[in-house]
Amino acid sequence: MTGAGTQVQGKRKTKVGRVVSDRMDKTIVVSVERLARHPLYKRVIRLSTKFKAHDEANEAHIGDTVLIEESRPLSATKRWRLVEVVQRAGEHGSPADIVADEEATSEAIHGAAHPGRRAAEADDADEAGGSAESDATAADVSAEEVEA
C-alpha cells in the first residue's frame, strides 16, 4: 500500500494498511507499506511491516484498507487497535481509478529514485520547444515571402 503514512494525534500513532489475515477471533493482521531508499544501491524499495490489531466486532476482512491506532499491550504481540475500516475490499471502484493510482505511485517512486531529473527534463523540453517554435516561425515567414 502506497501513500500509507504515520500520523500522530496527541500521543497515539495511527497507520493505514491492508488486512492480510482475519482468521483469529477479534484480531486482524494489518500490513503497512512504506517506500524507502536502499542504503547502498539508492533504489526506492517497498517495505512492509505487519501489525496485529484488536478488532472487537470482527468487522474487518481480508483485503480491507483500515486505520489502526497504537494502544496498550493487549497480548504478547498485539499493540494496536482498529479505529475504522477506510475501504472495503470490493469497493475499490472502477479499474480506471486503480490505474490512475498506479500511475501516481509510479511517478512518486521514479521521482524519489531520480531526484533532479524532473527539473532537467523540464529544462530540456523548454529548450526543445523554444527552438521548434523559432524554426516554425522562420518557416511561416519564408512561406509568406514566397506568396508575396
Side-chain angles (χ1 to χ4, degrees):
M1 161 111 213
T2 59
T6 301
Q7 298 175 348
V8 179
Q9 293 178 334
K11 294 181 182 179
R12 297 192 177 192
K13 295 178 184 173
T14 61
K15 295 181 183 288
V16 176
R18 184 146 303 173
V19 177
V20 293
S21 174
D22 63 349
R23 289 186 175 196
M24 295 171 276
D25 187 32
K26 298 186 179 182
T27 303
I28 56 174
V29 179
V30 180
S31 177
V32 177
E33 289 187 348
R34 60 189 171 91
L35 298 177
R37 188 175 297 277
H38 191 280
L40 178 62
Y41 300 117
K42 309 301 185 215
R43 293 283 304 213
V44 176
I45 55 177
R46 193 173 290 192
L47 301 173
S48 65
T49 307
K50 291 182 181 178
F51 298 99
K52 288 189 180 140
H54 184 67
D55 180 9
E56 183 66 35
N58 287 323
E59 60 187 71
H61 301 291
I62 293 177
D64 292 350
T65 302
V66 296
L67 176 69
I68 58 175
E69 180 181 61
E70 207 172 27
S71 70
R72 66 181 175 82
L74 301 169
S75 72
T77 57
K78 194 162 46 167
R79 306 284 194 267
W80 297 81
R81 67 177 186 84
L82 177 69
V83 175
E84 68 173 317
V85 177
V86 177
Q87 192 171 37
R88 295 281 178 196
E91 299 176 358
H92 292 296
S94 68
D97 296 339
I98 296 171
V99 169
D101 186 36
E102 284 293 322
E103 289 177 9
T105 303
S106 177
E107 290 293 323
I109 290 171
H110 291 300
H114 305 291
R117 180 176 275 189
R118 291 275 176 225
E121 287 177 357
D123 292 342
D124 293 343
D126 290 341
E127 291 174 7
S131 62
E133 290 174 3
S134 62
D135 293 343
T137 307
D140 291 340
V141 169
S142 61
E144 291 175 1
E145 290 175 0
V146 170
E147 291 176 3

